[in-house]
Amino acid sequence: MTAQIIDGKALAEELRQSFKARVETLTAQGHQPGLVVILVGEDPASQVYVKNKVNGCLAIGMHSEKIVYDKDVDQQVVLDKIAELNADPSIHGILVQLPLPRHFDEEKVLEAISAEKDVDGFHAENVGALSQGAPRFIPCTPYGVMKMFEKGNVDLTGQEAVVIGRSNIVGKPMAMLLINAGATVTVCHSKTRDLNFHTRRADIVVAAVGKPKFVKGDMLKPGAVVIDVGINRLQEGPDAGKLCGDVDYEDCLNVAGQITPVPGGVGPMTITMLLANTIEAAERKAAVEAGARK
Ligand code: NAD
């Protein structure tokens, strides 16, 4: 049996095309969705991510701009800019690219973003809303994974799901979404005693570990749905420099029922869902203003 591949690249493209009409409608109503991305420092990977986020917006008719600060900038300068953007009615989403330089208090910066414009979904208020089952913004990567389940016609109700990784960005919100969707969820992490015990009984495995080819075929139940969130650059061997996931794709291909590739899996979905969150924010604002006029 060869696993069915859930093509994130194609799904991302399909969704982005479908967003265009919503952006057009909003723009015609005077609510062109706008996203500002703040970058501090010159981390090369962050520069690429920021460029892709801004270009992703522009390509579907949204407004987007990046604001770049020197790595030594005073935190207060960034906080002041966030306050200014919070008050700017033309901006619906504000995102601070992580990681921030060491002299920053990351939590303080993220909490400074208005919860209504927190399109990354990292603000405590939005984390709380998600855990209560009434999300305002869903963090982009797990949101993208949920869309992939939808695309693969994966019914999550009653399924045994194992999430490997407990980060605030991926693992924890992923677990919340799976719980909200009716799955029975186990979250594994670096302190988990017997990882294989958990993964081998899972109908669904989501790997967000940050270790190349960590999940092997013999860790899976045959037919499992395997979602690979990992993005790692191979350091050595003939494929040095190439991207690979947290799942050993070749090894799992004949065991899994469905699987996502890297690249071309979860990766393209993340920015797509950032666009979705910004459009949703603009739609909410437009609806509130329309309601106020009635
Ligand atoms: P992280 O380093 O914050 O978390 C990794 C998690 O893996 C931790 O919770 C840790 O406990 C767990 N872990 C480490 N070793 C383990 C082990 N031996 N057994 C079980 N669990 C173990 O990473 P993150 O931010 O959650 O990212 C995870 C991966 O996903 C990375 O490769 C990252 O690059 C990638 N990522 C991809 C996207 C995307 O758009 N596709 C977005 C965010 C992160």
Side-chain angles (χ1 to χ4, degrees):
M1 182 181 71
T2 304
Q4 184 190 333
I5 292 154
I6 308 178
D7 184 343
K9 196 166 169 227
L11 177 57
E13 189 47 39
E14 187 185 316
L15 288 171
R16 288 185 200 210
Q17 288 304 325
S18 76
F19 293 163
K20 283 184 180 170
R22 289 164 69 189
V23 172
E24 247 172 55
T25 305
L26 283 161
T27 306
Q29 294 167 343
H31 295 285
Q32 183 189 28
L35 173 74
V36 171
V37 186
I38 297 176
L39 172 64
V40 184
E42 288 158 7
D43 176 61
S46 292
Q47 283 178 334
V48 173
Y49 290 139
V50 168
K51 191 173 110 204
N52 290 342
K53 288 170 184 177
V54 171
N55 288 344
C57 288
L58 299 177
I60 59 164
M62 292 167 59
H63 166 77
S64 186
E65 57 190 284
K66 65 172 178 183
I67 299 175
V68 183
Y69 292 105
D70 186 84
K71 65 176 184 354
D72 299 320
V73 69
D74 192 87
Q75 172 169 287
Q76 193 55 46
V77 173
V78 177
L79 292 174
D80 290 346
K81 177 52 79 179
I82 290 173
E84 188 188 315
L85 294 166
N86 282 342
D88 183 341
S90 70
I91 299 304
H92 305 91
I94 305 167
L95 181 160
V96 176
Q97 185 64 42
L98 302 177
L100 285 164
R102 295 174 78 124
H103 67 283
F104 273 78
D105 177 344
E106 201 164 280
E107 198 183 323
K108 188 167 181 186
V109 173
L110 295 180
E111 294 301 311
I113 298 171
S114 155
E116 275 83 28
K117 298 191 179 188
D118 166 43
V119 283
D120 255 341
F122 296 160
H123 192 289
E125 199 179 310
N126 290 325
V127 175
L130 174 63
S131 68
Q132 287 182 331
R136 180 197 277 132
F137 291 114
I138 301 172
C140 304
T141 301
Y143 194 4
V145 173
M146 294 306 282
K147 289 282 170 195
M148 296 179 94
F149 286 134
E150 235 176 87
K151 183 70 183 175
N153 290 317
V154 179
D155 181 4
L156 297 165
T157 319
Q159 299 278 46
E160 291 289 336
V162 167
V163 178
I164 317 176
R166 57 173 163 178
S167 71
N168 290 338
I169 295 173
V170 188
K172 282 185 203 158
M174 188 73 250
M176 280 300 163
L177 287 166
L178 287 163
I179 291 170
N180 293 347
T184 302
V185 182
T186 305
V187 181
C188 297
H189 47 77
S190 54
K191 303 283 193 295
T192 297
R193 272 207 299 267
D194 185 354
L195 180 64
N196 291 1
F197 164 77
H198 297 286
T199 56
R200 281 183 188 144
R201 58 176 187 78
D203 304 305
I204 289 154
V205 175
V206 180
V209 195
K211 295 190 170 159
K213 303 191 181 188
F214 180 79
V215 175
K216 304 288 180 192
D218 66 2
M219 292 168 68
L220 300 175
K221 172 172 151 181
V225 177
V226 180
I227 306 285
D228 189 354
V229 176
I231 301 180
N232 310 289
R233 212 165 272 285
L234 287 170
Q235 301 294 335
E236 46 199 45
D239 290 333
K242 280 200 181 155
L243 284 185
C244 88
D246 289 345
V247 172
D248 188 333
Y249 184 78
E250 272 75 35
D251 204 48
C252 293
L253 197 57
N254 293 323
V255 185
Q258 296 190 61
I259 193 166
T260 64
V262 176
V266 176
M269 292 299 295
T270 295
I271 296 183
T272 304
M273 301 325 292
L274 172 68
L275 307 183
N277 277 342
T278 309
I279 296 168
E280 285 169 20
E283 285 172 342
R284 275 198 288 270
K285 182 159 179 286
V288 168
E289 288 187 12
R293 275 199 301 275
K294 274 186 193 155

